Amino acid sequence: MDRRNLLRAGVVGVGAAAFSGALWKEAFAAPAQPGPGPYGALQAANSHGIQLPSGFTSRIIARSTQTVSGTSYVWHRAPDGGACFADGTGWIYVSNAETSSSSGGGASAVKFNSSGTITGAYRILGSTNNNCAGGATPWNTWLSCEEVSLGRVYETDPWGVNAAVFRPAMGRFKHEAAACDPDRQVIYMTEDTSDGCFYRFIPNTWGNLSSGTLQVAKGGSGTSVPITWANVPDPDGSPTATRNQVSGVKRFNGGEGCWYQDGVCYFTTKGDNRVWARSEEDTS
């Protein structure tokens, strides 16, 4: 079984749903099997309480309310969703702060050189609320999403050069995560509420999120159903929430993390402990 099939089967094994039959043809024939990952079996927990495969190590790079080593920057409270971005021979790690604006909500970044030494830390977004997850874009920006009623999506610069920009066309709702699909040139988004929806944003121009169309998934109540997409009439979400503007929407119990890979968008729901997959083979 190759990695692609294993991921599909793993989704089935935890009681997930797909949105097209083609994705599941192989998956149902190969139930998920417990066993070591591609890097080998997990070892006993290390001094940080983390179980890692043989050959891997961990270190603490920052602690909330404390200065990041080698910098003058105080790390934010409640670190949440994040991503890494290549920076020459080094990299940048960005992290959301899932706390109120008065407690430092927003996002921060830590910069590393090629040897892994921290060379800087700084704020890339501030004065926002409960920035939970988000997603990296193919053009190297970080989408930081507010998990509050009428929450916003902010497009931020991991290098901290350009100011963060609010993207109203992507909708105002209780945002969780975002996953960019460069094949269809859309961005999938989850909603963290018990009667939430699954969305996609279609920019008018790929790489420019200032305008576009917000759509919501429609489908039955089962765990393996076809879906169609409908435009959200009022992405601003007021006075009617985006999830209640279109009839026949597919409901999801607490949308969480979201990831696009090889033609499939995977996302999780915490209310029913499921992993879902939206197949690229579904052309609707």
Side-chain angles (χ1 to χ4, degrees):
M1 180 184 295
D2 63 21
R3 184 173 182 272
R4 180 180 171 89
N5 288 341
L6 178 62
L7 286 171
R8 293 174 176 178
V11 172
V12 177
V14 294
F19 298 126
S20 76
L23 174 63
W24 295 105
K25 185 175 181 180
E26 299 170 51
F28 278 122
Q33 300 293 324
Y39 301 107
L42 295 177
Q43 307 299 300
N46 62 18
S47 60
H48 300 141
I50 301 174
Q51 289 184 269
L52 296 169
S54 177
F56 285 73
T57 60
S58 67
R59 64 174 170 139
I60 296 172
I61 63 167
R63 290 185 183 274
S64 294
T65 73
Q66 296 184 21
T67 302
V68 178
S69 178
T71 77
S72 60
Y73 185 73
V74 176
W75 195 241
H76 58 245
R77 299 175 185 271
D80 208 288
C84 287
F85 297 83
D87 179 47
T89 58
W91 69 93
I92 296 171
Y93 170 67
V94 300
S95 168
N96 281 344
E98 192 179 6
T99 188
S100 66
S101 59
S102 61
S103 297
S108 301
V110 180
K111 199 170 186 177
F112 301 83
N113 64 19
S114 59
S115 65
T117 300
I118 294 174
T119 60
Y122 44 89
R123 173 72 60 163
I124 61 173
L125 175 66
S127 301
T128 57
N129 291 284
N130 285 40
N131 297 73
C132 191
T137 69
W139 48 93
N140 291 322
T141 59
W142 168 249
L143 301 178
S144 184
C145 302
E146 290 183 311
E147 188 190 326
V148 294
S149 178
L150 297 179
R152 299 172 169 91
V153 176
Y154 289 87
E155 187 170 15
T156 68
D157 175 14
W159 285 262
V161 175
N162 299 309
V165 180
F166 166 41
R167 296 303 189 190
M170 298 184 74
R172 296 193 63 185
F173 52 89
K174 199 173 182 182
H175 282 276
E176 180 71 26
C180 292
D181 173 354
D183 300 312
R184 287 190 176 181
Q185 299 189 345
V186 303
I187 299 175
Y188 298 104
M189 296 181 290
T190 54
E191 182 176 26
D192 192 357
T193 185
S194 60
D195 61 343
C197 290
F198 183 54
Y199 301 87
R200 71 178 182 184
F201 177 67
I202 308 173
N204 289 338
T205 302
W206 186 239
N208 183 345
L209 305 182
S210 61
S211 62
T213 302
L214 180 67
Q215 296 185 324
V216 63
K218 298 179 61 175
S221 59
T223 55
S224 183
V225 296
I227 63 166
T228 57
W229 295 97
N231 292 348
V232 176
D234 179 17
D236 188 57
S238 179
T240 303
T242 55
R243 65 183 180 277
N244 296 326
Q245 293 181 22
V246 175
S247 62
V249 296
K250 174 67 177 169
R251 299 290 180 181
F252 296 95
N253 191 350
E256 287 286 328
C258 188
W259 183 260
Y260 177 84
Q261 185 74 36
D262 297 334
V264 181
C265 182
Y266 302 92
F267 63 99
T268 62
T269 48
K270 65 184 179 185
D272 48 14
N273 293 319
R274 285 180 172 152
V275 180
W276 303 76
R278 196 277 182 185
S279 174
E280 186 67 15
E281 296 166 7
D282 176 4
T283 58
S284 62

